[in-house]
Amino acid sequence: MKYIVKTCLILIVFAGLLASCGQPAPEVSETTSTTMDGFDTLNLTVPDKYDPPITMESVMAVDATVKFLGDNDIYNNVWTRAYSQLLGIDMDYQWVADGSMFNEKLGLSINSGQIPDMFRVTPAQMQLYYEAGLLADLTDVYEQEASENTRDVLNQNPTALKAATIDGKLIGIPLTDAPVATASLLWVRQDWMDQLGIAAPTSIADVMEISRRFTEEDPNGNGVDDTIGLCITQNLWGAVASLQGFFNGYHAYPTIWYEKEGSLVYGSVQPEMREALLALQKMYAEGQIDQEFGVKDINQVTETIAQGQCGMQFGVWWNPYHPLNLSQQNDPTAFWTAFPIPSVDDQVAKSQYTSNVGALLVVRNGYEHPEALIRMVNFWTDNILDSEDDEIRRIFLGDIEAPDVVLYKYTNVQLWEPDATLIGGKKLREALASKDPSGLDLDAQWRYRIIQAYFEQGILEAWVEVATNGPNGAVSILEQIAVDRGMMNQFYGVPTPAMAEKMPTLQTMEDVMITKVIMGDSIELFDQFVEDWYQLGGSEIVEEVNTWAEKNQ
Amino acid sequence: MNPKITKLPPIWNIVNMVVLGTLALVCAFPIMHIFALSLSSATAANSGLVTVFPIDFTLQSYQFVIENPAFVRAFGISLMRVLVGTPISMILTVLVAYPLSRNRGEFRARDFFVWFFLITVLFSGGMIPYYMVIRQTGLIDSFWALVIPGALPVFNVILLVNFFRNIPKELEEAAAMDGATHWDILFRVLLPLSLPILATLTLFVAVGHWNSWFDGLLLMNSPDKYPLQSYLQTVIINPDPRFLSERDLALLQIISNRTTRAAQIFIAMIPILVVYPFLQRYFITGLKMGSVKG
């Protein structure tokens, strides 16, 4: 009898623990939802309000940079209150995951039959879930509900809506961004160039010369042979220290699709790659490229830049904000200048960029209110995007007094105008030229003052803004790229079947080949790669891409 | 103790010491490096100047970490997890190991239960079924999802079963003659004799709880419920430059802050570093005695 009592005791303790701690935390949103945001004092264009309110289940990605004011959290913040009070849509987040785990968690959630009403997907996920019949057709609701501004934003990038369309049906709302912002520029340590008396690079030959002199002539003046001409990461491609800009100088366009002799071809297997690879191989052999670049990720290259050992890199327009700003840690006079990609011959080099929509918003097939998503998009495009109203910007985007609390990160529905960076940069440059900042919005005025501080007070840290938005800064180069110095990825649909299946392997093959050739393997490796690429599924992909192109042009 | 070893030429001793010493250094170096980083200034750390000694000594990153509510909360969750999960695991392990250590005469369904448990070591349902079970049982997003699913480590049960079998039968028989029941035999005879293995297993379970990170990411529905290692994972990612856009700038800046990263990693190591030496002396006896059958 005694043992039974003991066993029961253990069980009871267990059950008690389970019952007391397993209960969900009490809802706090009831008490704080009355927080006054002052929506009624704002001049907002609000779509029809749902009455009674509807519930929309969704999921959300956050990361270490998402911060909240006061007792706000992801479940109760200015955006959830705006959706609820102004649109009659109560957001119910089933889960919130860190950005790095979002896609895994979404896959898991959907595979286990828990499908949110509205959620964010990648193009490949959209294709997958569409084929599984999980996603709603948004064609009609978009036609009926989308506001002028929404249509305008989504049509600014002519490929955006096409990328969201499958079988003639609009399945997702593309989260647009500026495609041209992904174009590479050539970033060079201006202070080193000045010190060695080098003129601005205008051709690939100049780039090679600068790279050689940066490597050999100890531009950081520490008496140690520790500088390298050109920085690259092990990833080879991307936003920082990548190779695509270098290849573009040779009129090669790796990893993208472009038109050549009447059909779409894949850039990485074109003969133009060859010469560029040989040039990189030579630079590596002469110590102008980090001998260990094959194992250096972006953090390690960032270190090289901070140490003042890197003289040149191909990267996107915002690089000065990070990581190039770090070079000033050890050398306060350090500053980088952007140049358009120089060309190997007398033809202008074009920077490649990709218009691929990175993410889309989709609605669950069977959700009663698919138009709610369009209304949320309207709310964003009609009121927030482009708003000149400083009060609206303060309440919905963030206060300039608390720059680390970025309010728009609380909502999935954020579309950016593809041309915003370019238009903003142009206005700012005009204001700088005429010394009249009166026409600028708050954010631009702030940038204006920073740039002025560099020129008038000699605040060296301000070079970051000068290099991006200043006269002849990176944004002005983007403008040229958008007009006639760019090469856009011509394939912007959802991944074709063969592409989804084989491209990852082919891409790995390509990266390995390029790394090996640069590190001194025979260039025949490239020829072998081209042959293998076509055999291992490449020809199939080319065929599919061209069939897609015929249908979509 | 072993005379053969002392008779080896002294040169071997030196070689041994050099080789083992190098190995020990190789193990210690990363920890020293992280510790030095955490105590250095951001400038020195970001420029890669720090090796094993701090440069521009500062406690700033520790102050930052301690004032970071996300870190403190995650630390608390991990601590809870160890304090609650370890006793539960140990109780279950002992209660399962005892019947399985009986011979077939005493416990006729023994083989069935051995296989019943063993099969979970050999086969697992996979991630999605696992997730679904957790969700259907309502454990998802609760603290108990971190404790209950792995509460019975079968490998530990096997170690303990083997240990129990090594204890002379006569002790149990003598106790039984005096009228001891199974409970008495387990708690008054076997367990007091099994302290080394219990210490070892406790260490296994506690370290396992402290270090596990994937279940937190998988089963928690919001980052403020992540245990420490899941939280660390989100801070120590190396971003792929192919997917970076200008809106990731703020994240990039946080991630490249090596000193706070190092401070967080180091603080996360401390509890295990503190507990280990105390339990370590049981460790070897525990493992050895459990594994050799005879």
Side-chain angles (χ1 to χ4, degrees):
Chain A
M1 192 58 203
K2 215 169 100 196
Y3 341 114
I4 299 171
V5 174
K6 270 189 190 167
T7 332
C8 286
L9 266 179
I10 292 171
L11 285 177
I12 288 166
V13 170
F14 263 110
L17 280 173
L18 276 174
S20 61
C21 302
Q23 268 155 18
E27 288 293 323
V28 283
S29 58
E30 291 302 313
T31 50
T32 40
S33 64
T34 50
T35 315
M36 290 303 293
D37 291 298
F39 294 141
D40 44 353
T41 63
L42 297 175
N43 184 20
L44 294 167
T45 317
V46 181
D48 294 341
K49 186 177 175 180
Y50 286 102
D51 191 25
I54 61 163
T55 303
M56 179 186 268
E57 290 192 345
S58 191
V59 294
M60 193 72 203
V62 296
D63 60 43
T65 64
V66 180
K67 299 201 166 97
F68 298 94
L69 288 170
D71 56 358
N72 283 341
D73 57 25
I74 197 71
Y75 307 101
N76 175 34
N77 54 60
V78 61
W79 280 96
T80 57
R81 289 192 293 270
Y83 288 142
S84 153
Q85 291 166 23
L86 301 171
L87 307 187
I89 302 169
D90 291 329
M91 298 304 295
D92 175 10
Y93 292 118
Q94 291 175 339
W95 47 259
V96 180
D98 188 81
S100 58
M101 273 299 285
F102 181 81
N103 285 335
E104 283 86 348
K105 185 111 183 169
L106 181 66
L108 202 63
S109 186
I110 288 180
N111 283 331
S112 69
Q114 191 187 25
I115 306 156
D117 296 330
M118 192 273 283
F119 53 106
R120 201 192 72 197
V121 290
T122 63
Q125 283 172 325
M126 179 176 79
Q127 173 84 16
L128 188 72
Y129 299 142
Y130 169 76
E131 278 166 10
L134 299 178
L135 304 182
D137 178 0
L138 300 175
T139 319
D140 294 339
V141 290
Y142 179 77
E143 278 311 313
Q144 288 156 15
E145 300 261 347
S147 70
E148 276 307 304
N149 286 325
T150 302
R151 285 166 208 265
D152 182 48
V153 171
L154 290 179
N155 287 321
Q156 271 183 30
N157 173 356
T159 63
L161 282 176
K162 284 185 188 166
T165 306
I166 309 180
D167 299 343
K169 289 185 263 184
L170 183 69
I171 301 301
I173 299 296
L175 294 174
T176 49
D177 213 330
V180 74
T182 62
S184 270
L185 312 170
L186 171 63
W187 288 99
V188 189
R189 274 289 285 265
Q190 182 70 45
D191 52 325
W192 290 6
M193 291 213 313
D194 294 346
Q195 192 190 324
L196 301 178
I198 306 176
T202 53
S203 67
I204 284 287
D206 291 348
V207 171
M208 307 297 256
E209 178 65 9
I210 295 176
S211 166
R212 188 187 62 76
R213 294 190 58 184
F214 276 0
T215 313
E216 292 171 2
E217 297 181 14
D218 189 25
N220 61 5
N222 63 354
V224 185
D225 181 17
D226 59 353
T227 49
I228 46 177
L230 183 69
C231 278
I232 46 183
T233 69
Q234 61 180 9
N235 302 78
L236 305 179
W237 319 114
V240 181
S242 75
L243 277 179
Q244 64 223 30
F246 189 85
F247 282 107
N248 292 166
Y250 287 84
H251 312 299
Y253 307 98
T255 72
I256 69 165
W257 296 84
Y258 67 102
E259 196 169 333
K260 192 176 178 185
E261 290 148 16
S263 63
L264 290 187
V265 295
Y266 189 60
S268 305
V269 290
Q270 301 308 310
E272 286 87 355
M273 295 284 291
R274 212 185 147 92
E275 206 189 327
L277 279 170
L278 283 171
L280 285 168
Q281 191 179 53
K282 184 163 163 282
M283 288 170 81
Y284 181 85
E286 289 171 4
Q288 300 171 20
I289 291 175
D290 192 334
Q291 301 298 300
E292 293 170 355
F293 79 94
V295 291
K296 297 230 163 155
D297 62 24
I298 182 168
N299 286 343
Q300 281 156 315
V301 171
T302 300
E303 239 171 68
T304 320
I305 290 171
Q307 274 166 316
Q309 295 177 345
C310 167
M312 226 181 345
Q313 64 113 359
F314 289 90
V316 297
W317 73 273
W318 49 258
N319 281 177
Y321 298 113
H322 188 95
L324 300 186
N325 59 338
L326 298 175
S327 357
Q328 262 192 332
Q329 286 187 341
N330 285 313
D331 183 357
T333 59
F335 81 102
W336 297 70
T337 308
F339 296 98
I341 304 286
S343 168
V344 70
D345 50 27
D346 51 2
Q347 275 182 310
V348 170
K350 295 179 168 182
S351 288
Q352 72 180 61
Y353 60 94
T354 162
S355 79
N356 282 0
V357 173
L360 309 101
L361 295 174
V362 294
V363 171
R364 172 173 65 85
N365 194 7
Y367 182 53
E368 298 85 356
H369 305 285
E371 73 286 348
L373 169 61
I374 313 289
R375 292 188 188 179
M376 288 160 79
V377 174
N378 287 345
F379 182 75
W380 172 273
T381 56
D382 290 347
N383 299 301
I384 315 297
L385 198 63
D386 270 349
S387 175
E388 302 270 323
D389 186 333
D390 289 332
E391 194 57 14
I392 292 184
R393 295 177 68 87
R394 188 181 69 79
I395 290 183
F396 287 102
L397 296 179
D399 201 330
I400 215 136
E401 303 292 321
D404 58 333
V405 183
V406 184
L407 301 177
Y408 65 74
K409 291 193 174 175
Y410 307 159
T411 175
N412 276 316
V413 186
Q414 26 164 310
L415 288 74
W416 302 98
E417 262 191 305
D419 305 337
T421 317
L422 298 184
I423 296 171
K426 192 168 186 175
K427 273 191 193 162
L428 187 55
R429 285 198 306 279
E430 282 166 5
L432 283 166
S434 64
K435 303 216 176 245
D436 172 24
S438 55
L440 301 174
D441 62 32
L442 261 185
D443 178 67
Q445 280 190 15
W446 184 61
R447 292 174 197 277
Y448 177 91
R449 284 207 293 273
I450 294 176
I451 296 176
Q452 287 297 325
Y454 179 83
F455 287 115
E456 285 165 11
Q457 298 156 38
I459 309 271
L460 290 177
E461 284 77 11
W463 76 269
V464 168
E465 206 58 47
V466 177
T468 46
N469 281 305
N472 302 321
V475 176
S476 73
I477 300 171
L478 282 191
E479 216 171 84
Q480 301 169 26
I481 293 175
V483 180
D484 59 0
R485 298 194 60 151
M487 175 63 88
M488 196 182 80
N489 189 355
Q490 306 277 326
F491 178 77
Y492 42 79
V494 290
T496 66
M499 205 187 262
E501 189 186 336
K502 288 164 184 159
M503 210 49 167
T505 325
L506 295 176
Q507 186 64 54
T508 312
M509 251 171 65
E510 176 182 342
D511 294 353
V512 170
M513 178 277 292
I514 290 178
T515 310
K516 277 189 172 166
V517 171
I518 295 176
M519 293 180 78
D521 277 28
S522 157
I523 190 69
E524 279 160 27
L525 221 57
F526 170 69
D527 305 325
Q528 184 62 44
F529 160 74
V530 174
E531 205 174 295
D532 292 347
W533 191 87
Y534 282 112
Q535 267 181 12
L536 295 173
S539 5
E540 206 181 327
I541 299 177
V542 173
E543 213 169 282
E544 284 177 353
V545 166
N546 279 291
T547 321
W548 168 88
E550 275 164 35
K551 266 196 267 171
N552 282 277
Q553 269 158 9
Chain B
M1 278 197 293
N2 191 333
K4 273 183 196 160
I5 287 176
T6 48
K7 275 179 197 160
L8 281 174
I11 182 81
W12 279 110
N13 262 334
I14 294 166
V15 169
N16 262 342
M17 272 183 232
V18 169
V19 169
L20 293 178
T22 321
L23 267 178
L25 264 185
V26 166
C27 296
F29 180 76
I31 297 175
M32 283 151 73
H33 176 61
I34 293 283
F35 188 54
L37 268 182
S38 70
L39 291 172
S40 298
S41 74
T43 316
N46 288 338
S47 316
L49 300 174
V50 182
T51 49
V52 279
F53 296 107
I55 293 178
D56 304 337
F57 180 87
T58 167
L59 288 172
Q60 248 175 10
S61 43
Y62 282 95
Q63 190 187 352
F64 174 83
V65 170
I66 288 165
E67 284 169 4
N68 176 6
F71 181 85
V72 175
R73 191 169 43 215
F75 195 95
I77 291 172
S78 273
L79 213 59
M80 265 293 276
R81 178 177 182 171
V82 171
L83 293 180
V84 174
T86 312
I88 292 182
S89 268
M90 289 314 293
I91 293 170
L92 289 181
T93 306
V94 168
L95 291 182
V96 170
Y98 178 74
L100 295 188
S101 68
R102 304 297 88 193
N103 57 35
R104 222 170 302 160
E106 264 180 291
F107 181 25
R108 247 175 294 159
R110 199 201 77 162
D111 283 1
F112 170 77
F113 281 102
V114 167
W115 281 107
F116 178 81
F117 288 114
L118 212 57
I119 226 155
T120 64
V121 179
L122 303 175
F123 306 99
S124 86
M127 192 168 77
I128 290 168
Y130 173 61
Y131 179 82
M132 288 173 83
V133 168
I134 304 288
R135 195 156 65 81
Q136 303 289 344
T137 46
L139 283 174
I140 200 127
D141 200 29
S142 91
F143 171 74
W144 295 100
L146 305 176
V147 173
I148 306 254
L152 182 70
V154 176
F155 177 72
N156 290 1
V157 172
I158 296 171
L159 287 183
L160 193 58
V161 165
N162 282 334
F163 193 93
F164 283 166
R165 292 220 185 135
N166 282 345
I167 294 173
K169 264 257 167 290
E170 291 74 13
L171 290 175
E172 294 168 29
E173 283 161 7
M177 291 292 275
D178 291 339
T181 62
H182 282 301
W183 288 104
D184 294 323
I185 292 177
L186 174 59
F187 285 107
R188 292 192 184 168
V189 179
L190 291 184
L191 285 189
L193 290 171
S194 313
L195 285 182
I197 185 100
L198 290 179
T200 310
L201 296 185
T202 307
L203 194 67
F204 277 172
V205 174
V207 172
H209 268 303
W210 187 260
N211 282 345
S212 81
W213 59 279
F214 192 68
D215 51 357
L217 287 177
L218 197 67
L219 304 174
M220 293 298 114
N221 281 350
S222 70
D224 50 356
K225 291 178 183 155
Y226 286 172
L228 188 57
Q229 307 296 341
S230 312
Y231 165 79
L232 279 184
Q233 193 270 347
T234 67
V235 184
I236 310 174
I237 41 171
N238 281 336
D240 185 337
R242 280 174 297 176
F243 305 117
L244 288 177
S245 88
E246 66 216 69
R247 265 167 269 287
D248 299 318
L249 268 171
L251 184 64
L252 263 184
Q253 279 159 1
I254 291 184
I255 288 170
S256 73
N257 192 340
R258 306 190 56 187
T259 52
T260 48
R261 268 166 68 150
Q264 300 187 56
I265 296 173
F266 196 77
I267 296 180
M269 279 192 290
I270 289 176
I272 298 300
L273 284 181
V274 169
V275 175
Y276 217 84
F278 293 103
L279 291 175
Q280 201 231 12
R281 62 199 169 105
Y282 294 111
F283 207 78
I284 298 155
T285 21
L287 261 185
K288 193 183 72 189
M289 293 185 69
S291 53
V292 181
K293 209 175 161 234

